[in-house]
Amino acid sequence: MSHYLTDYETMLHQRGFRVTHQRRMILDAVCEGDGHTTFDAIYARVQARCPTVSQATVYRALHFFVKMHLVVSADINGEQVYEIATSRHHHHLICRGCGWVGNLDDAHLRDLSAHLLREHGFRADVDHLVITGLCPECQATTE
Amino acid sequence: MSHYLTDYETMLHQRGFRVTHQRRMILDAVCEGDGHTTFDAIYARVQARCPTVSQATVYRALHFFVKMHLVVSADINGEQVYEIATSRHHHHLICRGCGWVGNLDDAHLRDLSAHLLREHGFRADVDHLVITGLCPECQATTE
DNA sequence: ATTACTGCAAAGGATTTGCATGTGA
DNA sequence: TCACATGCAAATCCTTTGCAGTAAT
């Protein structure tokens, strides 16, 4: 993680932005998540370490990181979630029964996105697709 | 449309719910849309015919219709949109540049959902997937 | 020394809710 | 008739913003 941190700090410096104590904590809090961290979870983690950090700062930092492409956000069932951006594209399976989160490699969507580009001229955002459904356990218990 | 209306009215009656003037107007307003109608658009259409209908009623009716599976809702870029439920599964391509909306037949996702079920045991909700991206025109103008 | 960033509190916008009234079956 | 549905307004929730003070470079 440390050389990754160095990279992003250098990048921010080069662009004239500042690396603050708060931003470091907030980015750490995003990294600690399993991949889909809600605002509340991030805010709680930050608060645990530094109770004076305000919600406004967390909101602003998250927007900032998204704009800097260090974090990606998605909307799952009306709730905004955040995840550290990685170079490898992958997608998520979300169980609407129990909240289980699974990963889906980009490879399985290559054909689809190729089709969309060829037939519709549509360039799909393939970096963070969310597919909801039911995991094996939740299929057993009829909703 | 009329026999469809009869069907849903009968269904609601059987379940002990009531078919009111407001609910009819609200469902009509959802039907008039191209498939992704925002709350504001629905409320505006209803207001045009009956200015006394309140937002609360529209919110309540939409939730009600979703629960009755007469309407499906999705979240596009943080905005909730509504669409009449149809038997035919289809998906939507949304241009994040200009808001253009395209349809994508379910057939193109059959392979993917079959794969998910086979490999992950995951039963994907294939009734209303939203894929964002850029349409041909908006690809020209670099965002 | 700049000026980006933060904390606080207030504002803003969207959605929900309590309650008295109205209305469909 | 009587429970369901509505309108109104207040309440609630989430997010953004203005501004004065703080801190990174």
Side-chain angles (χ1 to χ4, degrees):
Chain A
M1 174 159 120
S2 74
H3 86 281
Y4 177 71
L5 272 178
T6 306
D7 284 346
Y8 99 78
E9 295 197 356
T10 305
M11 183 272 278
L12 292 185
H13 283 151
Q14 284 172 348
R15 298 215 217 169
F17 299 109
R18 290 174 189 176
V19 179
T20 63
H21 187 47
Q22 289 92 332
R23 283 184 175 169
R24 266 193 263 255
M25 284 192 298
I26 293 164
L27 195 60
D28 281 352
V30 175
C31 289
E32 283 166 28
D34 62 347
H36 277 100
T37 317
T38 62
F39 173 85
D40 288 342
I42 294 166
Y43 182 60
R45 281 174 202 154
V46 172
Q47 283 259 306
R49 282 189 213 160
C50 180
T52 61
V53 174
S54 67
Q55 296 200 12
T57 296
V58 178
Y59 276 116
R60 282 190 277 226
L62 289 172
H63 292 169
F64 174 76
F65 288 137
V66 168
K67 198 151 63 184
M68 295 295 126
H69 299 104
L70 291 169
V71 167
V72 293
S73 80
D75 192 293
I76 297 179
N77 280 4
E79 186 161 47
Q80 208 66 21
V81 294
Y82 300 89
E83 176 175 12
I84 198 74
T86 60
S87 51
R88 185 99 187 90
H89 287 164
H90 66 286
H91 312 281
H92 288 97
L93 309 174
I94 311 286
C95 177
R96 70 181 137 78
C98 65
W100 170 84
V101 179
N103 287 317
L104 176 66
D105 197 86
D106 190 41
H108 297 106
L109 281 155
R110 292 252 170 73
D111 287 351
L112 180 63
S113 38
H115 167 83
L116 292 177
L117 193 56
R118 192 167 5 91
E119 299 294 319
H120 299 78
F122 186 82
R123 185 174 299 278
D125 295 333
V126 284
D127 47 310
H128 201 246
L129 194 62
V130 173
I131 300 178
T132 59
L134 287 176
C135 73
E137 290 82 52
C138 290
Q139 287 172 47
T141 55
T142 43
E143 193 191 0
Chain B
M1 172 163 122
S2 74
H3 88 282
Y4 177 70
L5 273 177
T6 304
D7 283 346
Y8 99 79
E9 296 196 355
T10 304
M11 183 270 278
L12 292 185
H13 282 151
Q14 283 173 349
R15 297 215 218 168
F17 299 110
R18 292 176 187 173
V19 180
T20 63
H21 187 44
Q22 289 91 333
R23 285 186 173 166
R24 264 193 265 257
M25 282 193 299
I26 293 164
L27 196 60
D28 281 352
V30 175
C31 290
E32 283 166 27
D34 61 349
H36 278 100
T37 316
T38 63
F39 173 86
D40 288 343
I42 293 165
Y43 182 59
R45 280 174 203 152
V46 171
Q47 282 259 307
R49 283 188 212 158
C50 180
T52 61
V53 174
S54 68
Q55 296 199 12
T57 297
V58 177
Y59 277 114
R60 284 191 275 225
L62 289 173
H63 292 169
F64 173 77
F65 288 138
V66 168
K67 198 152 61 185
M68 296 294 125
H69 298 105
L70 291 168
V71 167
V72 294
S73 79
D75 193 290
I76 298 178
N77 280 6
E79 186 161 48
Q80 208 66 20
V81 294
Y82 301 89
E83 175 175 13
I84 196 75
T86 60
S87 51
R88 185 100 189 89
H89 289 162
H90 67 286
H91 311 281
H92 288 97
L93 308 173
I94 310 287
C95 177
R96 69 181 137 78
C98 64
W100 171 85
V101 178
N103 286 317
L104 175 66
D105 196 84
D106 189 41
H108 298 106
L109 281 156
R110 293 252 171 73
D111 287 350
L112 180 63
S113 38
H115 168 82
L116 292 177
L117 192 57
R118 192 168 2 91
E119 299 293 320
H120 299 78
F122 186 82
R123 185 174 298 279
D125 293 333
V126 286
D127 48 310
H128 201 245
L129 194 63
V130 173
I131 300 178
T132 59
L134 286 176
C135 72
E137 289 82 52
C138 291
Q139 287 172 46
T141 55
T142 42
E143 196 188 358

